[in-house]
């Protein structure tokens, strides 16, 4: 129950660009080697804001998955799926909605912020208010304990933790909990029971977190426990009720420093992006025509890299030697701007080349993507059902 599981989602609202690559996808690629990872297309989340343009979503889902694969996300390492293909996300959302105070949702900062930012759209909808709860459902049905997100999403994870505690508090209580937990301890066998009790005492009396962690992994290794006993023993370590759902932690990804072609943050809404799989000729043209220090009107005018978007790219892509060359050459008018852009152009094209290569077979045969997503959805559904069984039971809904 406490083995690390990573989950993250992305809304299919547009083609991905190098900002997504440097900000999010590279991180996913790293994580897939370290943890069990689940990555999904958050198409229902996209509908909360794009409910009136469903065609945008449909088109972007498949392109986005290919962008992930192009970036190096590996379906043999991570499970890739689409949210709306796993109905448990919706079932969990409805069940959690029963215990979610309206005020908690209204206080999530993104609710008011986004309404103001996207003020041409009516976002005073039930779906949009429930956005963070849908996100909680995404996380909780997989008992994912690590969630890589940007700073802006941290309040959603905090909200999820609060809902988790509320759920466990309401549904983890049972008559005779203590007696049942004591019975469950005996089932561990005499040696492990003793260790469990010692670790529990150490945690409860001295607040020893290491003891708690050791006790949890002891339970993790225990094959012969029923789900109910497992939840009791996990809950008994910390207090007086079952732990049915797992509190997740945010794995904060630092905001991407990836600049756009105009020096502002790279973003679709600034129209300053380089697409992840953009055609090399188009990329070449975009870089050759990107603005530079406006003071350099003629080749002989000296410039100031600090005022130039190209320099931002050198900070990301170039080594110290090239950076020196830019500083010297720019300030002394020793190099021209096209010359200065050349190493950037080469680095960006070199970065994209393996992405084009990885994407090629998927572009040529879309059934490959459909199949790997179908497999991912099936696996995700199976994992989610394990949690849903416990959740239904806790809420009085197990009829079979
Ligand atoms: N809300 C996230 C975003 O806009 C996307 C998302 C949906 C997500 N569900 C999630 C991220 C669950 C992490 C975990 O970026
Ligand atoms: Fe920008 Fe380079 Fe031209 Fe200087 S030389 S203005 S850093 S592009």
């Amino acid at each position: 129950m406490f083995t690390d599981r990573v989950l993250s989602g992305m809304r299919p609202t547009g083609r991905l660009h190098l900002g997504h690559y440097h900000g999010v996808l590279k991180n996913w690629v790293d994580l897939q080697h370290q943890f069990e990872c689940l990555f999904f297309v958050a198409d229902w989340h996209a509908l909360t804001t794009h409910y009136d343009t469903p065609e945008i979503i449909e088109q972007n889902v498949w392109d986005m998955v290919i962008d992930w694969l192009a970036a190096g996300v590996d379906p043999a390492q991570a499970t890739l799926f689409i949210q709306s293909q796993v109905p448990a996300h919706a079932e969990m959302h409805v069940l959690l909605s029963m215990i979610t105070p309206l005020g908690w949702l209204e206080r999530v900062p993104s609710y008011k912020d986004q309404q103001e930012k996207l003020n041409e759209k009516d976002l005073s909808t039930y779906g949009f208010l429930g956005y963070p709860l849908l996100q909680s459902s995404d996380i909780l049905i997989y008992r994912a304990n690590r969630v890589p997100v940007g700073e802006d999403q941290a309040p959603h994870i905090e909200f999820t933790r609060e809902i988790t505690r509320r759920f466990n508090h309401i549904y983890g209580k049972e008559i005779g909990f203590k007696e049942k937990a004591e019975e469950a301890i005996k089932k561990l066998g005499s040696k492990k029971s003793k260790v469990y009790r010692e670790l529990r005492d150490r945690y409860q009396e001295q607040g020893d977190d290491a003891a708690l962690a050791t006790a949890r992994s002891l339970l993790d290794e225990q094959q012969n426990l029923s789900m109910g006993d497992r939840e009791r023993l996990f809950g008994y370590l910390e207090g007086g009720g079952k732990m049915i759902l797992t509190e997740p932690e945010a794995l904060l990804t630092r905001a991407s420093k990836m600049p756009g072609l105009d020096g502002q943050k790279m973003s679709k809404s600034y129209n300053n992006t380089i697409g992840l799989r953009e055609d090399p000729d188009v990329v070449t043209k975009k870089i050759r025509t990107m603005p530079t220090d406006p003071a350099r009107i003629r080749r002989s005018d000296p410039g100031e890299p600090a005022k130039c978007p190209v320099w931002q790219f050198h900070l990301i892509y170039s080594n110290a030697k090239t950076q020196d060359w830019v500083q010297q050459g720019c300030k002394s008018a020793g190099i021209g701007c096209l010359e200065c852009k050349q190493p950037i152009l080469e680095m960006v094209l070199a970065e994209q080349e393996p992405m084009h290569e990885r994407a090629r077979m998927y572009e040529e045969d879309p059934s490959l993507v459909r199949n790997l997503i179908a497999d991912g959805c099936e696996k995700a559904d199976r994992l989610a059902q394990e949690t849903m069984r416990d959740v239904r039971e806790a809420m009085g809904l197990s009829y079979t």
Side-chain angles (χ1 to χ4, degrees):
M1 194 191 256
F2 278 94
T3 43
D4 285 311
R5 185 179 282 167
V6 169
L7 172 113
S8 201
M10 213 186 266
R11 294 151 31 95
T13 54
R15 288 299 296 269
L16 301 188
H17 49 66
L18 291 181
H20 296 109
Y21 177 65
H22 286 271
V24 182
L25 291 173
K26 263 191 181 165
N27 187 235
W28 284 14
V29 172
D30 284 346
L31 288 168
Q32 73 185 355
H33 300 297
Q34 293 168 261
F35 302 108
E36 178 187 0
C37 286
L38 300 161
F39 299 127
F40 73 98
V41 180
D43 55 349
W44 280 335
H45 280 272
L47 276 176
T48 63
T49 50
H50 289 62
Y51 53 82
D52 51 353
T53 52
E55 65 283 358
I56 293 194
I57 293 170
E58 168 129 43
Q59 190 187 333
N60 282 308
V61 166
W62 301 109
D63 276 332
M64 189 165 87
V65 175
I66 298 182
D67 282 338
W68 293 357
L69 298 163
V73 176
D74 179 358
Q77 305 264 0
T79 303
L80 312 182
F81 65 98
I82 298 172
Q83 181 184 36
S84 66
Q85 299 301 297
V86 185
H89 291 256
E91 184 185 358
M92 188 63 155
H93 187 201
V94 122
L95 292 177
L96 291 178
S97 77
M98 307 303 169
I99 61 160
T100 304
L102 271 183
W104 289 18
L105 285 168
E106 286 160 350
R107 273 198 301 275
V108 174
S110 58
Y111 179 58
K112 290 247 156 52
D113 290 355
Q114 290 292 99
Q115 278 188 337
E116 278 163 27
K117 220 169 119 198
L118 305 173
N119 63 357
E120 77 285 3
K121 222 172 240 173
D122 182 5
L123 289 182
S124 54
T125 56
Y126 181 55
F128 188 66
L129 177 67
Y131 187 111
L133 189 63
L134 184 56
Q135 187 162 352
S136 304
S137 307
D138 300 337
I139 299 166
L140 293 172
I141 60 175
Y142 301 108
R143 293 194 164 107
N145 61 334
R146 290 169 184 262
V147 185
V149 286
E151 199 71 69
D152 62 316
Q153 297 284 312
H156 293 176
I157 308 304
E158 200 40 54
F159 170 84
T160 303
R161 292 164 63 85
E162 278 162 19
I163 287 294
T164 309
R165 288 196 285 267
R166 184 164 162 82
F167 184 96
N168 286 335
H169 177 71
I170 296 176
Y171 300 109
K173 282 193 213 144
E174 61 180 347
I175 300 161
F177 172 77
K178 188 158 179 278
E179 291 71 24
K180 286 182 181 162
E182 287 292 335
E183 279 305 307
I185 293 178
K186 287 185 198 142
K187 295 182 196 159
L188 292 173
S190 63
K191 213 166 117 203
K192 289 204 174 133
S193 306
K194 191 158 164 259
V195 178
Y196 176 93
R197 281 185 213 283
E198 279 168 11
L199 291 167
R200 178 171 179 267
D201 286 347
R202 253 170 51 209
Y203 175 68
Q204 297 206 341
E205 286 161 21
Q206 299 152 41
D208 183 342
D209 287 327
L212 178 63
T214 313
R216 284 173 170 178
S217 48
L218 178 129
L219 292 178
D220 264 335
E221 288 157 17
Q222 208 60 28
Q223 302 289 331
N224 57 343
L225 282 176
S226 71
M227 203 22 117
D229 279 342
R230 227 178 144 71
E231 289 167 352
R232 282 180 198 106
L233 291 179
F234 272 105
Y236 197 47
L237 284 172
E238 290 179 79
K242 292 201 277 189
M243 285 243 311
I244 301 164
L245 297 176
T246 306
E247 257 184 69
E249 253 172 68
L251 275 182
L252 281 190
T253 18
R254 262 179 297 121
S256 163
K257 285 191 300 261
M258 187 69 197
L261 292 162
D262 57 359
Q264 299 186 79
K265 178 181 143 84
M266 187 177 280
S267 158
K268 186 179 57 169
S269 49
Y270 297 142
N271 200 13
N272 63 0
T273 62
I274 298 174
L276 199 89
R277 285 182 284 140
E278 196 144 85
D279 188 81
D281 291 338
V282 179
V283 175
T284 304
K285 196 159 157 230
K286 279 188 171 178
I287 293 180
R288 291 223 167 110
T289 56
M290 71 187 273
T292 60
D293 177 358
R296 288 203 78 180
I297 299 162
R298 281 174 298 264
R299 165 73 173 75
S300 54
D301 296 329
E304 173 49 58
K307 295 182 183 154
C308 177
V310 178
W311 172 244
Q312 302 292 320
F313 276 73
H314 277 292
L315 284 175
I316 300 229
Y317 286 102
S318 300
N319 59 23
K321 191 166 157 240
T322 308
Q323 291 183 3
D324 267 358
W325 170 78
V326 174
Q327 287 288 341
Q328 304 274 349
C330 180
K331 290 177 177 166
S332 64
I335 58 170
C337 290
L338 268 183
E339 213 177 321
C340 180
K341 288 171 174 177
Q342 189 58 29
I344 298 298
L345 180 56
E346 282 163 21
M347 300 290 259
V348 171
L349 292 178
E351 178 171 78
Q352 287 176 315
E353 197 179 287
M355 300 201 218
H356 285 295
E357 234 156 73
R358 279 190 290 257
R360 193 166 306 129
M361 68 173 178
Y362 298 110
E363 291 162 343
E364 281 165 10
D365 183 0
S367 73
L368 290 175
V369 186
R370 312 253 160 176
N371 287 340
L372 75 86
I373 287 292
D375 288 349
C377 293
E378 206 177 295
K379 165 121 189 264
D381 190 65
R382 213 169 341 108
L383 296 174
Q385 287 310 324
E386 288 174 21
T387 312
M388 292 316 296
R389 254 196 305 278
D390 302 336
V391 169
R392 288 184 207 116
E393 187 187 299
M395 294 182 77
L397 303 170
S398 50
Y399 300 107
T400 50

